[in-house]
Amino acid sequence: MSNRATNLLVPIISVILGLLVGAVIMLVSGYDPLKGYAALWNGIFGDLYTIGETIRQITPYLLAGLAVAFAFRSGLFNIGVEGQLIVGWFAAAYVGVAVELPKIIHLPLAILAAAVAGAIWGFVPGLLKAKFRVHEVIVTIMMNYIALHVTNALIRTVSDGGDRTGNIYASASLRSEFLQNLTEFSRLHFGIIIALVMVGVMWLILEKTTLGFELKAVGFNQNASQYAGMNVNKNIILAMVISGAFAGLGGAMEALGTFEYVSSKGGFTGIGFDGIAVALLGMNTPLGVVFGATLFGSLKYGALNMPNAAGIPIEIVEIVIAVIIFFVASGYIIRLLLLRASAKKKEAK
Amino acid sequence: MSFLEVLYFIVPSAIFYAAPLILVAIGGVFSERSGVVNIGLEGLMVIGAFVGILFNLLYADTFGSATPWIALIAAMFAALLLSLLHAVASITFRADQVVSGVAINLLAAALSIYLVKRIFDKGQTDFITERFSRYNVPFLSDIPIIGPLFFKSVYNTSFFAIGVAVLAWFVIYKTPFGLRLRAVGEHPMAADTMGINVTRMRYIAVMISGGLAGIGGAIYAQTITNDFGHATINGQGFMALAAMIFGKWHPLGAMGAALFFGFAQSLSIVGSSIPIISEIPNVFLLILPYVLTILALAGFIGRAHAPLAIGKPYIKGQR
């Protein structure tokens, strides 16, 4: 079996195993897995409305996945996507409520604000990694909590002690009557187009620019890149900044498209952490992220139908996602088993 | 309020908040000293808290006032089992240890709430009736100043946590087992050459971290929240991770850091009733532990060095 085929098989096998484990858990805890997965399927594809909502849910997952994948390609593990997304969410919503401008200026400005906020949040761990060799995993985890508490405090200040801002002006909104009419008035918005464009942008940066070449080189081998005359520190910082900007855009999708406001949060949104799963499943490629985001976004939205239609808690889907991550991360063992299986086949021939 | 009264108010509450952090951070020290990153501490704490509360609710009538302590044992075994999953993935299957930890966190949060909904038919459990209770240590609490600070209306769990920290220091620095543990985390190949079973040591270390994190989670749930829901642990595991790093991967350092973070946490909660501190916006107290950890890592507060072989799976025969 070729290397490429095994690489593709690992995520597919992981997803199947994940769904199987989910079925076993449902069975053991006294639910009907068939009924459960049927409810999940209807929750995703049931009618035009649910399809619209599913695509809406996929949008931030695309950007969160891109953020994680982009950093991964440069050898960095950005667990801080969650925090970068939260500050992006706040920045976009703030620009959305603070001023009223013509749409052609306001909307891009709000989106840009989110990207910049996320980029700044990514810059800090990038700088610390480049200058002090501090491991980015710990710093980004800490930055997540700082983001959570700081935005909550800012929301209180902006809203005079309330726990959410007002709705953004229509001139900053991504809502689209056209898309809503198409999908029986779901909350589907233009953000999906932005997210897909960003998939192209990531592909372009990585495959067609010098910057992308350097970033990937740094990801493969820092010493060799240094020896080849690349500025490793600059590339590390840039990778985190761009990754943060993607994550910030993910926040803008929620601020300008889905919710049109920002409210203070008791805990994390989870989108950033699921972004890790998306990137892993997509093997850190732009196209792979599209598949990963589609799968996990659909599962997440479809799960909302499970309590009503089958009486099963929505958490079952999160269990499935966690198990899938386990299997993808343990790809070594799946590869080993595949290799043995194909070796046996050869012998039999 | 006089300064001393303020201290009498804050110090016991700081120790009270620190106890679970200490235990979980010590767990982290064991795992990371052996070379296995354990981001999953948060999830292990969640499972510990869930099982602790569940056991307490189910068996409160059987065991009476001993229930919380027995619940700790149940929580320990539950989290230990979950940590085995992390060990298998990151040691045997050579998975990325951070990714495996993230999966542990997701799995624990989802699984515990799934079971809560299955068992209780709602988003959180009932409140427990048998809890750890405060008491005054006889004689010691009568000592002026020190008595009211450290021995009045305290929890036994606090003493337990500090005892575990000291024991961990002894085990890691004064026993052959500890020497092997550190060797495996610094230079596994050298350790292997000297006949130490790297895989076994790492498995043991990860399981110790799981057990301690489970106990920590159960203590947190049975002293502070008294029920279990999705927001029960809410970042305490990551706070413990921060304490471990701020304490420079040293058991006593981690204990000191955990005490300090407990202090910051209790300030952000009770601070509003204390003059001067109530002037400081709450958000600064909330983010203080995280900011300090970043500063410590960046070398502004003494350089923190992680164990050398951390995060890398050990593959026999590979240079």
Side-chain angles (χ1 to χ4, degrees):
Chain A
M1 204 179 309
S2 74
N3 219 347
R4 208 186 159 84
T6 356
N7 276 346
L8 275 176
L9 267 177
V10 169
I12 294 171
I13 292 177
S14 303
V15 170
I16 295 171
L17 287 176
L19 290 170
L20 275 179
V21 171
V24 170
I25 291 177
M26 280 190 263
L27 206 60
V28 170
S29 51
Y31 296 117
D32 181 359
L34 287 179
K35 218 172 140 196
Y37 282 137
L40 182 65
W41 180 267
N42 288 332
I44 301 169
F45 301 108
D47 50 35
L48 279 172
Y49 174 83
T50 57
I51 292 176
E53 282 288 305
T54 302
I55 299 174
R56 175 194 63 70
Q57 184 78 49
I58 291 169
T59 311
Y61 276 78
L62 274 172
L63 288 157
L66 286 182
V68 179
F70 194 87
F72 253 131
R73 290 299 280 274
S74 318
L76 297 164
F77 198 159
N78 184 4
I79 297 202
V81 170
E82 182 71 39
Q84 293 145 14
L85 189 138
I86 293 176
V87 293
W89 186 336
F90 173 79
Y94 179 73
V95 172
V97 291
V99 285
E100 196 176 9
L101 296 164
K103 186 145 194 162
I104 193 116
I105 305 170
H106 200 182
L107 180 57
L109 191 69
I111 293 173
L112 193 70
V116 169
I120 293 173
W121 227 252
F123 173 75
V124 175
L127 182 76
L128 291 173
K129 172 92 177 180
K131 293 281 171 216
F132 302 105
R133 300 284 126 194
V134 183
H135 205 289
E136 73 280 3
V137 165
I138 306 294
V139 179
T140 48
I141 289 175
M142 301 300 136
M143 293 291 286
N144 281 345
Y145 282 97
I146 298 175
L148 184 68
H149 292 307
V150 167
T151 50
N152 279 351
L154 285 174
I155 290 163
R156 261 195 303 279
T157 317
V158 170
S159 60
D160 296 321
D163 58 2
R164 60 162 278 190
T165 63
N167 279 1
I168 58 169
Y169 285 110
S171 57
S173 175
L174 280 169
R175 290 261 167 107
S176 136
E177 264 182 43
F178 169 70
L179 289 176
Q180 287 181 336
N181 285 336
L182 211 61
T183 55
E184 293 172 4
F185 304 100
S186 74
R187 286 175 295 170
L188 183 60
H189 54 82
F190 279 133
I192 185 69
I193 296 168
I194 297 177
L196 288 174
V197 167
M198 285 302 141
V199 172
V201 167
M202 170 165 162
W203 177 82
L204 225 92
I205 294 178
L206 281 179
E207 306 300 334
K208 296 289 165 197
T209 65
T210 323
L211 171 69
F213 181 79
E214 287 199 8
L215 287 174
K216 282 188 292 183
V218 169
F220 281 124
N221 190 331
Q222 293 199 358
N223 295 328
S225 314
Q226 183 97 43
Y227 190 66
M230 296 173 194
N231 186 340
V232 171
N233 285 347
K234 189 194 86 182
N235 279 309
I236 288 176
I237 297 176
L238 259 179
M240 282 306 288
V241 166
I242 297 174
S243 168
F246 280 136
L249 284 178
M253 299 301 112
E254 302 298 82
L256 308 176
T258 308
F259 294 98
E260 302 200 304
Y261 62 83
V262 59
S263 58
S264 62
K265 298 173 185 57
F268 290 125
T269 64
I271 301 170
F273 296 119
D274 289 334
I276 298 169
V278 169
L280 271 177
L281 196 71
M283 293 175 295
N284 303 316
T285 61
L287 196 62
V289 165
V290 176
F291 287 115
T294 307
L295 178 73
F296 288 135
S298 307
L299 284 179
K300 263 281 165 66
Y301 184 75
L304 298 178
N305 188 38
M306 292 177 82
N308 274 335
I312 301 172
I314 53 171
E315 279 74 20
I316 187 69
V317 159
E318 278 161 51
I319 297 175
V320 170
I321 292 178
V323 174
I324 293 176
I325 300 179
F326 254 119
F327 284 119
V328 177
S330 310
Y332 159 77
I333 206 76
I334 298 181
R335 271 194 196 99
L336 202 71
L337 293 176
L338 282 175
L339 266 175
R340 288 210 178 137
S342 66
K344 252 185 204 158
K345 238 183 228 165
K346 257 183 204 160
E347 270 172 31
K349 272 178 191 168
Chain B
M1 222 191 275
S2 78
F3 178 67
L4 213 55
E5 276 174 332
V6 169
L7 276 187
Y8 290 162
F9 187 46
I10 291 181
V11 171
S13 133
I15 296 175
F16 159 65
Y17 272 100
L21 287 180
I22 293 174
L23 287 164
V24 183
I26 297 292
V29 169
F30 271 99
S31 169
E32 303 228 335
R33 274 296 178 135
S34 81
V36 181
V37 177
N38 202 346
I39 302 272
L41 288 176
E42 170 88 5
L44 295 167
M45 251 186 118
V46 169
I47 283 295
F50 165 64
V51 172
I53 292 289
L54 186 66
F55 185 91
N56 194 314
L57 285 169
L58 291 179
Y59 293 103
D61 296 336
T62 324
F63 296 115
S65 58
T67 317
W69 290 100
I70 303 171
L72 289 190
I73 298 172
M76 180 183 82
F77 279 110
L80 197 144
L81 269 181
L82 186 65
S83 71
L84 256 182
L85 209 58
H86 180 54
V88 170
S90 57
I91 302 168
T92 307
F93 292 174
R94 299 177 198 170
D96 186 314
Q97 297 170 2
V98 175
V99 174
S100 163
V102 170
I104 290 276
N105 289 339
L106 287 177
L107 185 64
L111 191 63
S112 56
I113 296 298
Y114 177 83
L115 290 174
V116 164
K117 284 186 179 166
R118 179 83 187 99
I119 299 167
F120 297 90
D121 241 338
K122 54 183 178 178
Q124 72 257 22
T125 66
D126 301 322
F127 282 95
I128 54 172
T129 47
E130 290 291 341
R131 0 187 326 200
F132 287 114
S133 47
R134 293 167 180 272
Y135 74 111
N136 296 332
V137 182
F139 307 119
L140 290 176
S141 57
D142 298 330
I143 306 171
I145 301 181
I146 296 175
L149 270 184
F150 299 112
F151 299 110
K152 238 180 201 154
S153 69
V154 287
Y155 286 95
N156 258 332
T157 49
S158 306
F159 296 121
F160 173 69
I162 292 167
V164 167
V166 175
L167 185 71
W169 167 80
F170 182 80
V171 168
I172 292 178
Y173 283 97
K174 301 289 167 193
T175 64
F177 172 82
L179 184 65
R180 285 175 197 152
L181 185 85
R182 284 178 289 142
V184 161
E186 293 293 332
H187 201 318
M189 192 190 272
D192 195 13
T193 315
M194 298 306 289
I196 300 170
N197 188 337
V198 176
T199 308
R200 204 182 112 220
M201 286 305 295
R202 289 191 168 174
Y203 263 90
I204 294 173
V206 172
M207 281 156 69
I208 293 175
S209 85
L212 286 176
I215 297 177
I219 289 182
Y220 187 87
Q222 291 183 94
T223 52
I224 295 171
T225 59
N226 296 317
D227 70 341
F228 181 83
H230 72 278
T232 299
I233 295 301
N234 205 5
Q236 290 295 311
F238 287 116
M239 179 87 80
L241 192 75
M244 177 199 72
I245 295 162
F246 195 52
K248 297 176 185 164
W249 286 271
H250 188 289
L252 298 182
M255 180 184 79
L259 282 169
F260 181 71
F261 289 173
F263 182 69
Q265 268 190 312
S266 65
L267 271 190
S268 69
I269 290 160
V270 301
S272 53
S273 49
I274 302 166
I276 307 173
I277 293 166
S278 60
E279 309 275 312
I280 307 171
N282 209 5
V283 60
F284 290 109
L285 294 168
L286 285 172
I287 65 173
L288 186 68
Y290 308 112
V291 173
L292 279 175
T293 304
I294 293 177
L295 291 178
L297 276 169
F300 294 119
I301 316 174
R303 195 88 175 94
H305 278 293
L308 209 59
I310 203 158
K312 296 182 213 98
Y314 176 62
I315 303 166
K316 246 184 188 339
Q318 194 187 58
R319 279 165 195 276

